[in-house]
Amino acid sequence: MAVVKGQALYKQVAREMRKAIAKGTWRPGERIPTEDKLTAQYGVSRPTVRQAVAELRADGLLDVQQGRGTFVRGPQPEQSATINIERTVVCAGDQYHCPAGWHDAEEPTVYRVRLEATAAETLAADEGDAAFLVQRLYTHEASGLRARYSGLLPMERITGTVLAKHPELFNTDAYAALAAAHGPVEWHEGISARMPNPDERAALHVPENTPLLISQRVTRTQTDARPLMLETLTMTAAATELTITHRPVARQPGPSSHPVDPENSIKRAL
């Protein structure tokens, strides 16, 4: 390999490896040469080869399979369009509705758990408080997108509601039950991203080197923003768009800054 001055050596190796893939010297699904052979072929060190492999892996050209080696990835299906997920919450009277389109890919599971520190802080509860953990795997009807859902309901917040016996109720039914027990509710939602772990990649059918989109929604009271339930929705970030729409609402006079919607119409689109 002819060395080009002023360019990182690993990038030069990566360029030569790309040529081998483009020319068909290394074919899709084929294992590339070992590190020893690559260091000899390009006249570089092992760390340089590893950096070059890491760059091609990040570009989606190589797939490292533990215990088997590194393989050339086959052509990946193109995403024809961005998948728009609108999570609108509509309130009419004492009924709550969300857009249809999500279906259970598996039966939901319910566990009795103790709140860990991070969740307890989010829910303004004490670490170790009893709670229900509801887990579901969803499929989006229109796009086939898979999403993992988890809901945390502190026992103290659902005592005397239908959720104490049926915590697996879909979120809109849960909102109605919480509103009946605690008064009008609102939602606070945060969006973040991170790389998936192997279990998430398998469950959500996420390609390698594709980040996840995580939406965390806290249902809370309108009067004092007391947290009642924590929901987390996890899905691939590839060509996925979450729509969040805000509608101006009236505010109660006085020190409280939390919005109240006197018409009890759309509270917030999340």
Side-chain angles (χ1 to χ4, degrees):
M1 180 185 72
V3 176
V4 179
K5 293 183 178 180
Q7 185 180 38
L9 194 54
Y10 81 89
K11 287 189 172 292
Q12 298 180 50
V13 174
R15 184 186 65 241
E16 294 301 315
M17 294 171 73
R18 285 193 183 91
K19 289 180 181 179
I21 294 173
K23 292 178 179 178
T25 305
W26 296 348
R27 298 179 180 179
E30 183 177 282
R31 179 178 173 177
I32 70 172
T34 63
E35 279 189 2
D36 287 339
K37 291 183 178 179
L38 290 173
T39 56
Q41 178 178 344
Y42 297 120
V44 295
S45 65
R46 281 175 176 267
T48 299
V49 167
R50 289 169 185 164
Q51 282 183 290
V53 169
E55 179 167 305
L56 267 64
R57 184 183 181 188
D59 290 344
L61 296 176
L62 296 179
D63 184 16
V64 178
Q65 300 179 18
Q66 190 170 5
R68 296 190 61 210
T70 302
F71 295 79
V72 179
R73 297 189 71 188
Q76 301 299 303
E78 294 184 2
Q79 183 66 53
S80 58
T82 298
I83 302 168
N84 183 278
I85 306 298
E86 185 176 351
R87 304 187 64 212
T88 306
V89 180
V90 179
C91 178
D94 58 357
Q95 298 298 311
Y96 292 80
H97 305 279
C98 289
W102 291 105
H103 300 283
D104 282 315
E106 299 174 356
E107 287 293 322
T109 54
V110 180
Y111 306 93
R112 289 178 177 268
V113 299
R114 296 288 176 178
L115 292 178
E116 297 180 354
T118 302
E121 181 179 0
T122 301
L123 289 164
D126 293 327
E127 183 178 358
D129 278 0
F132 278 125
L133 170 64
V134 182
Q135 293 184 328
R136 323 176 82 110
L137 184 63
Y138 286 139
T139 300
H140 191 252
E141 186 177 54
S143 64
L145 178 73
R146 291 164 71 90
R148 179 174 281 179
Y149 169 94
S150 69
L152 271 174
L153 298 90
M155 298 290 190
E156 183 267 335
R157 314 286 162 85
I158 62 174
T159 300
T161 74
V162 66
L163 296 172
K165 293 184 177 180
H166 300 285
E168 75 284 356
L169 287 177
F170 187 66
N171 54 10
T172 51
D173 294 317
Y175 301 154
L178 292 171
H182 299 280
V185 296
E186 63 183 24
W187 300 272
H188 178 81
E189 188 136 351
I191 310 295
S192 61
R194 62 171 171 78
M195 297 305 292
N197 60 44
D199 178 60
E200 289 169 327
R201 280 187 59 195
L204 301 177
H205 300 173
V206 177
E208 189 178 6
N209 300 316
T210 301
L212 295 176
L213 199 62
I214 298 100
S215 170
Q216 280 202 320
R217 173 186 289 176
V218 178
T219 302
R220 61 190 190 183
T221 59
Q222 285 189 10
T223 53
D224 57 5
R226 185 189 186 197
L228 304 174
M229 177 172 65
L230 170 63
E231 299 171 279
T232 304
L233 194 66
T234 304
M235 67 195 77
T236 177
T240 303
E241 178 182 275
L242 290 184
T243 298
I244 302 177
T245 304
H246 302 274
R247 172 174 293 186
V249 294
R251 293 181 181 273
Q252 288 182 328
S256 174
S257 61
H258 301 296
V260 176
D261 183 354
E263 297 180 359
N264 202 29
S265 57
I266 298 178
K267 298 295 185 185
R268 187 176 177 188
L270 295 172

